[in-house]
Each structure stands twice: as structure tokens, then as C-alpha cells.
């Protein structure tokens, strides 16, 4: 029983990580039709930003309020990079989808290389607070606190994004834009502002994933974002493009399947099962599990 | 569902000013280039700055051979991307199938090379047909994701070393004892170079024959407007599957030659980064054009290798750290060049010639 609980909770921790990456990806995808290959870069910026701030920013550190400040700095850095990417690189290619995807491909190559040039290719130890290294006993399972932190953060982010989409004017524009961009544009609403906003939200969530992922894994490396990104893509497609709730469901399914199969089968088999799941979902329900594309 | 608006083919420069003599020579240029490339290993000239040693030194020949292989791979990938408008993110899988298939059959099973190569190419083609049959039920971005996911399975299988076949992270060096003597050893690099040249020629020939045939016209039609092909009573699915299978088979053939040149398989060739590189090559060269992908592939691989040497050279080391560190990363330079190319040269390298001729014409004083 303890093993099952432990596996379920670590699986949910992984799912939280996937959700944080996939939520922004899914909104960008639904609204702008852009498969953002540079999304892993935002994660890397968040992770390295937090890592840098913990060592260099006055007042920040690896514990208590200092760590919160470091994470805030990392998230701010990731958000800033995401906004810049949208304004400088994506916006001039408005409605030229394939070029937008190509630009993000180039950016993902160049950006990761830049991180590697600055901080080296090897993984660095992440300055995590002491309490995240400890474990909590839940129903007989010793669960690492880092994973629990991720789950809490992901639930909070999910709630915040949903509240934003449901109850604000821009949320309404984004929801409508995901549903039918041409119609919203025809009504005289500037969807491009919504693009920038969606990039900022996605960048912030991905940067948070980077910072908390550093806590979860204990290290940070330039390639981390890229390896998570592929599973985030899978989560987005399974969940239904543009649907944040769908991404949350899909992230849970993918995280749990991966964790349980990897434990009870061979290591690596879980990853393959996830791809199999993707193939099955696409063949049976090409629009993803959230049904109709695009709801909050 | 997203429908990818694929890059259109470049208008052939029939309107270019230099007709006349140049125009009559032009069709024979590829043959001249082939002849020059074929006799290149006999020359001992050294080009300082471009190559490290003389042209016929094994190091230079190996670099050239790798460049030629990737020229061929990019041309094969362009059959999907530039000519049919299919954005596949899993092309690395079929190349890796060629590399690992040959390596495993020769090193682990002890088959002679020709049998291993034949089995591998057949297997790679069948694999492409099977996976393509599933992936092609989706279109646009979803198709890109499915192919990416399938390729990821390949990468996982290789990295996790199931059954101890692939050597995991360390890769699998090729056992040369069973290979023909002419393909082994540093002194025989020239034969591998010719093999690579033959591969490139084969791919270019096949791709041109296909795109010139009625099937090629259907593929171009699929790229421009898939519904129109459906309305004409042709089955888009079947044509796309043919293109996908053919491109997969060509890629696995490239893998067979590549493993001989490099002398083993390493897991990085299974990564999605390789497919992204192929995409970069095609877009840099000019998608859907006759020579663009080949030029893009050769240039990309050359830069990738040379930039590493350039990055560690004194000229770069003496620069301030802010500049020298990014410049020592080939991918940083290539990624930046790629982004700039997407903005300023949408047609790639091959679109430069017509642009330049327009420019010179407009600069010339009117007569």
C-alpha cells in the first residue's frame, strides 16, 4: 500500500511539472497555432534565474523567504524572456504559422546553446531549501517534500489560470480567440495583445516549473527543458489543444502511467506506454480527451 | 485543427536576365559538379582556413563525406517537407534505424555487410510504412507531434539499451572484422567518400524523378491544397504514405553509409534535435527547390564541424568572454543564422541568386 501511495504521489509530482509546462504551451497552441519549441527555454531561464539569484541576489538564498525571492526572480526572468520572444520574434510573423514554428525551433537551438555557453553543459546542484529534502509520512508512504511542493504549486497555478480565463475581460478574449480567432479579430478585438499575455502566462508557468523542477530533481542543466518538452507536447495533444483543464487531466494520466509502468515494468517502458497512449488517443479521438477544442 | 501552410516552391528563374549561352550550359552543371566531386580526392591542394589538411587527407575526406550524407538526408527530408508539405518531426528515427540496424546486424549478429545493409534498408522502409500509416491519420501540427512521439520511442529504446543490443549511452562501435577490406582503415577513407557521393547522387536522382513524375505533381498539389486533390478523386492518404515510406527508406539507406563512415552508432543521432537540424538545413537551403536542401545540408554540417574548431581557435579565445563563449557553441551560431534566414531569406540560399540578379539589374543604369 505504501508503495502505491508513494508512486501515486511522485507520479502526481511529475504530472504537476508536465502541467506547468503544458498549460502555457496549450494556450499558445490553441490561440496562435504555434507549436512553441522554445518553451523549454523559458523553463531553463526560470531554473537558471532561480539558481543565479539564490547565489548572487542580495536578500535571496536557499532557505525561507530568501528562496521565495529567488524563485520570484527566476519566474520574472522567464516571463520577461517569453514576452520579449513574442514581441521581437513571433509578432512580426503574424499569421505565418510555419515560419513562427521555425523561429521557435531556431530559438530552442540557440537559446539552449547560450545557456550551455554561459553555465557549462554539466548539471549544477540546485540550492533547495532543507525542508524540501526531507520526507513526509502520508498513509505509510515516505513522500519527498519537493514533489508535494510541485503538486501544491500546480494546483494553485491551475486555479489562477482558470479564474483568470473565467472572470477577466482578457480571459474572455483568450477563450474566444482559442475557439475562433478569425471571428474575434473580425469583431475588432486586438488578439495580438492576448498573444503577448498568453506568452507571458505560459513563460511564467514554465519558469516556475524550471525553478520547482530544480527542487524536485536537485540539479539544473541546460538540456532539462528540452527533455520535459516532448512529454509536455504529448500532454497537450492528449488533453486537447487549447484546453487548460484537458492538459491538467492528461498530465495526471501521463504522470501516473509513466511512474507506475516504470516501477512495475522495466525502466523506460513507462515512457513508451505514454507514446502508445498518445497514438491510441489520436486514433480514437483526434481532438483530445477534453472533447471540443478550447474551453477554459 | 491546424493546417500547415507549406512553403511554396520557388519560381524557376525563367525571367532571369542571363539567357543565352549560360542557359545552354546550365543543365550540365550538376554533372560537372559531380565530376569535380568525384575527382576531388586526387587533388592535394590545401585550402587553409577551409579545411585543416590537404583535400585528400583522411580527416578532410571524412568531413566531406559526412557533409554529402547530410546533403542527401536533407534532400530526402525535403521530399516530405518542401515537396509534399508534411512537417515530420520524426525523420531521425529512420536514419537511426539505418545506423543501428546495420551496426547491430554486423556487430552482434555477425552478418556480412551487404546482407545487413539490405535487411536494414528493407526494415527501415517497412517501419516507415507502418508508422506512417498510423501517423498520417492526423494532419498538420498533430502529425508533427505523432511523428515526434514515435521517434522518441526509438530514442528511449536506444538509450535504455533493451536486451543489451544498442550499448545504451556509450553507443555501439562497429565491428570491422567482417567488413570488406576496402571500407576499413584510415587509408580507405576515399572509398567511403565515394560511397557517400554515390548515396547523395542516388537520393537526388530519386527525389527528382519522383517530383517530376505524375506522383510528384500530386504531391505538390497536396502541399498547395489537399482538398483539391481529394476532389479530383485521388486519395491523399495513399500518396502521402508513398512519400513518407520513400523518404524513410532513403533515410535508412543514409544511415547505412553513415555508420561505415563514422565507424559506430551513438545515441545522439536518435534525438529529435537531428530532425530539427534537418529542418534547419532544408529551410536554410530552400525548401522545394532542386539543389537547396542539398546545399543546406552540406553547408550546415560543414559549419557545425568547422565552428567547433573556430570556437576553440585563438581568434575567438582572445575576444571578451561575452562574445567568445556563445561563439564557441556551433548551435548558437547556427540557430541565430537560422532565425535570421527565416526573416530575411524566406526562400533560403537558392533564393539569393534571383534576388541578387534583380538587385544588380536595378542598380545598372538604364540604356
Amino acid at each position: 500500500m505504501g508503495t502505491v501511495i508513494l508512486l501515486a504521489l511522485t507520479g502526481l509530482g511529475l504530472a504537476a511539472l508536465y502541467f506547468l509546462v503544458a498549460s502555457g504551451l496549450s494556450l499558445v497552441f490553441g490561440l496562435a497555432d504555434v507549436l512553441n519549441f522554445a518553451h523549454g527555454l523559458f523553463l531553463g531561464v526560470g531554473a537558471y534565474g532561480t539558481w543565479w539569484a539564490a547565489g548572487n541576489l542580495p536578500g535571496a538564498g536557499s532557505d525561507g523567504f530568501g528562496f521565495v525571492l529567488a524563485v520570484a526572480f527566476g519566474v520574472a526572468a522567464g516571463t520577461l524572456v517569453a514576452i520579449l520572444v513574442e514581441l521581437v520574434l513571433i509578432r512580426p510573423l503574424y499569421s505565418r504559422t510555419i515560419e513562427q514554428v521555425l523561429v521557435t525551433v531556431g530559438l530552442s537551438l540557440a537559446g539552449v546553446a547560450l545557456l550551455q555557453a554561459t553555465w557549462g553543459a554539466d548539471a549544477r546542484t540546485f540550492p533547495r531549501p532543507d525542508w524540501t529534502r526531507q520526507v513526509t509520512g502520508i498513509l505509510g508512504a515516505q513522500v519527498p517534500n519537493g514533489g508535494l511542493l510541485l503538486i501544491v504549486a500546480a494546483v494553485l497555478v491551475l486555479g489562477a489560470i482558470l479564474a483568470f480565463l473565467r472572470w477577466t475581460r482578457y480571459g474572455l478574449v483568450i477563450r474566444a480567440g482559442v475557439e475562433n480567432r478569425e471571428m474575434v479579430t473580425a469583431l475588432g478585438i486586438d488578439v495580438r495583445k492576448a498573444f503577448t499575455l498568453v506568452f507571458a502566462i505560459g513563460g511564467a508557468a514554465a519558469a516556475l516549473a524550471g525553478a520547482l523542477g530544480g527542487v524536485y530533481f536537485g540539479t539544473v542543466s541546460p538540456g532539462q527543458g528540452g527533455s520535459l518538452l516532448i512529454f509536455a507536447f504529448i500532454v497537450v495533444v492528449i488533453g486537447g489543444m487549447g484546453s487548460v483543464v484537458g492538459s491538467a487531466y492528461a498530465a495526471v494520466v501521463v504522470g501516473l502511467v509513466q511512474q507506475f509502468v516504470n516501477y512495475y515494468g522495466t525502466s523506460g517502458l513507462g515512457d513508451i506506454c505514454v507514446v502508445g497512449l498518445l497514438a491510441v488517443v489520436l486514433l480514437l479521438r483526434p481532438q483530445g480527451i477534453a472533447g471540443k477544442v478550447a474551453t477554459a | 485543427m491546424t493546417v500547415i501552410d507549406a512553403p511554396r516552391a520557388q519560381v524557376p528563374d525563367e525571367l532571369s536576365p542571363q539567357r543565352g549561352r549560360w542557359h545552354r550550359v546550365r543543365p550540365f552543371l550538376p554533372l560537372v559538379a559531380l565530376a569535380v566531386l568525384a575527382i576531388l580526392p586526387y587533388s592535394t591542394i590545401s585550402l587553409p582556413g577551409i579545411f585543416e589538411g590537404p583535400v585528400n587527407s583522411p580527416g578532410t575526406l571524412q568531413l566531406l563525406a559526412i557533409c554529402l550524407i547530410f546533403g542527401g538526408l536533407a534532400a530526402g527530408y525535403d521530399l516530405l517537407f518542401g515537396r509534399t508539405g508534411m512537417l515530420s518531426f520524426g525523420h531521425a528515427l529512420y536514419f537511426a534505424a539505418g545506423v543501428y540496424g546495420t551496426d547491430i546486424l554486423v556487430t552482434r549478429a555477425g552478418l556480412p555487410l551487404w546482407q545487413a545493409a539490405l535487411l536494414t534498408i528493407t526494415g527501415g522502409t517497412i517501419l516507415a510504412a507502418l508508422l506512417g500509416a498510423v501517423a498520417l491519420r492526423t494532419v498538420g501540427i498533430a502529425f508533427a507531434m505523432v511523428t515526434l512521439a514515435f521517434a522518441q520511442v526509438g530514442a528511449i529504446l536506444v538509450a535504455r539499451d533493451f536486451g543489451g543490443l544498442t550499448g545504451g549511452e556509450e553507443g555501439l562501435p562497429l565491428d570491422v572484422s567482417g567488413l570488406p577490406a576496402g571500407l576499413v582503415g584510415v587509408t580507405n577513407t576515399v572509398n567511403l567518400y565515394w560511397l557517400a557521393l554515390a548515396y547523395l547522387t542516388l537520393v537526388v536522382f530519386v527525389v527528382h524523378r519522383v517530383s517530376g513524375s505524375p506522383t510528384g505533381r500530386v504531391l505538390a498539389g497536396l502541399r498547395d491544397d489537399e482538398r483539391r486533390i481529394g476532389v479530383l478523386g485521388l486519395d491523399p492518404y495513399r500518396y502521402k504514405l508513398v512519400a513518407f515510406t520513400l523518404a524513410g527508406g532513403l533515410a535508412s539507406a543514409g544511415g547505412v553509409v553513415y555508420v561505415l563512415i563514422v565507424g559506430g552508432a551513438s545515441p545522439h543521432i536518435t534525438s529529435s534535435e537531428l530532425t530539427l537540424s534537418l529542418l534547419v538545413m532544408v529551410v536554410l537551403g530552400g525548401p522545394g527547390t532542386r539543389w537547396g536542401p542539398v546545399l543546406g545540408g552540406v553547408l550546415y554540417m560543414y559549419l557545425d564541424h568547422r565552428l567547433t574548431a573556430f570556437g576553440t581557435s585563438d581568434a575567438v579565445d582572445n575576444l571578451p568572454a561575452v562574445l567568445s563563449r556563445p561563439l564557441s557553441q556551433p548551435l548558437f551560431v547556427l540557430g541565430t543564422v537560422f532565425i535570421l534566414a527565416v526573416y530575411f531569406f524566406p526562400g533560403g540560399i537558392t533564393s539569393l541568386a534571383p534576388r541578387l540578379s534583380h538587385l544588380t539589374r536595378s542598380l545598372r543604369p538604364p540604356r
Side-chain angles (χ1 to χ4, degrees), chain A residues 29 33 35 37 88-89 98-99 102-103 106-107 110 113-114 117-118 230 233 237 267-268 271 275 278 282-283, chain B residues 2 4-5 89 137 141 145-146 148-149 152-153 156-157 160 162 279 283 325-326 329 332 335 338-339 342-343:
Chain A
F29 202 9
D33 281 344
L35 183 61
F37 272 86
V88 178
L89 293 175
I98 192 95
E99 268 99 343
L102 293 179
V103 160
L107 190 65
L114 194 60
T118 319
I230 290 177
F233 280 160
V237 177
S267 163
D271 308 5
V275 177
L278 169 76
L282 273 169
L283 291 180
Chain B
T2 324
I4 294 179
D5 42 340
F89 278 118
R137 299 198 40 176
I141 294 286
M145 314 279 255
V146 182
L148 178 72
Q152 190 59 23
V153 172
I156 295 167
L157 284 175
R160 299 293 163 117
F162 284 107
L279 187 65
V283 174
R325 284 217 188 125
Q329 297 283 336
F332 176 74
F338 178 65
I339 293 175
V342 171
Y343 276 102

Side-chain angles (χ1 to χ4, degrees), chain B:
Chain B
M1 190 68 45
T2 324
V3 176
I4 294 179
D5 42 340
R8 314 226 159 201
Q10 292 301 302
V11 178
D13 50 344
E14 284 152 351
L15 300 172
S16 72
Q18 304 114 323
R19 305 209 90 163
R21 202 179 302 155
W22 174 241
H23 225 70
R24 250 172 284 150
V25 184
R26 238 188 129 162
F28 299 103
L29 274 185
L31 284 179
V32 175
L34 180 64
V36 169
L37 283 172
I39 59 167
L40 205 59
Y42 291 111
S43 84
T44 52
I45 43 168
S46 40
L47 303 162
I50 299 180
F51 296 117
E52 300 223 316
V55 173
N56 66 347
S57 68
T60 306
L61 281 179
Q62 195 191 24
L63 172 59
L64 283 174
I66 291 176
C67 289
L68 294 176
I69 291 278
F70 275 85
L73 271 181
Y77 182 70
D78 190 52
L79 189 63
L80 296 181
F81 176 67
R83 295 183 189 274
T84 320
M86 287 193 272
L87 185 57
S88 159
F89 278 118
H91 208 59
L93 179 64
Y94 311 107
F95 176 63
V99 172
Y100 272 98
T102 315
D103 202 349
I104 289 171
L105 288 176
V106 169
T107 308
R108 301 270 195 237
L111 289 185
L113 179 64
W114 68 271
Q115 279 185 10
L118 211 60
L119 277 173
T120 302
I121 296 173
T122 317
T125 314
I126 293 173
L127 182 71
L130 289 178
L131 295 185
V134 176
L136 281 169
R137 299 198 40 176
T138 59
V139 288
I141 294 286
F143 172 74
M145 314 279 255
V146 182
T147 48
L148 178 72
F150 284 154
Q152 190 59 23
V153 172
I156 295 167
L157 284 175
V158 166
R160 299 293 163 117
D161 198 9
F162 284 107
L165 278 176
T166 62
E169 297 290 334
E170 269 90 62
L172 183 63
L174 188 64
D175 179 14
V176 291
S177 60
L179 295 186
L183 296 176
V184 181
V186 180
T187 46
N188 286 322
T189 315
V190 60
N191 293 336
L192 294 172
Y193 168 84
W194 278 321
L195 202 58
L197 185 60
Y199 170 70
L200 174 63
T201 316
L202 172 83
V203 174
V204 168
F205 180 73
V206 169
V207 170
H208 287 185
R209 282 309 292 264
V210 168
S211 56
S213 69
T215 308
R217 278 162 225 279
V218 176
L219 296 182
L222 285 171
R223 175 188 62 199
D224 296 337
D225 188 352
E226 189 170 326
R227 265 172 305 177
R228 199 163 53 187
I229 297 297
V231 169
L232 287 173
L234 298 164
D235 185 4
Y237 178 83
R238 202 173 293 170
Y239 279 92
K240 286 201 277 188
L241 189 57
V242 167
F244 195 84
T245 310
L246 186 59
L250 287 175
S252 54
V256 175
V257 184
Y258 182 81
V259 75
L260 292 172
I261 292 171
V262 181
S266 63
H268 79 267
I269 55 153
T270 61
S271 69
S272 55
E273 216 161 83
L274 188 88
T275 306
L276 295 187
S277 308
L278 286 176
L279 187 65
V280 172
M281 291 170 196
V282 169
V283 174
L284 272 184
T289 57
R290 198 158 258 254
W291 298 105
V294 177
L295 284 177
V298 170
L299 195 67
Y300 181 98
M301 270 337 259
Y302 172 76
L303 286 177
D304 194 30
H305 275 79
R306 291 299 298 173
L307 283 173
T308 317
F310 167 73
T312 49
S313 68
D314 291 339
V316 170
D317 271 349
N318 292 335
L319 289 171
V322 185
L323 280 177
S324 76
R325 284 217 188 125
L327 284 182
S328 64
Q329 297 283 336
L331 274 183
F332 176 74
V333 180
L334 284 168
T336 311
V337 168
F338 178 65
I339 293 175
L340 293 176
V342 171
Y343 276 102
F344 300 110
F345 307 107
I349 298 171
T350 44
S351 76
L352 282 181
R355 275 165 188 253
L356 284 177
S357 73
H358 278 299
L359 194 69
T360 48
R361 222 177 351 162
S362 58
L363 288 178
R364 206 177 297 151
R367 265 177 268 180

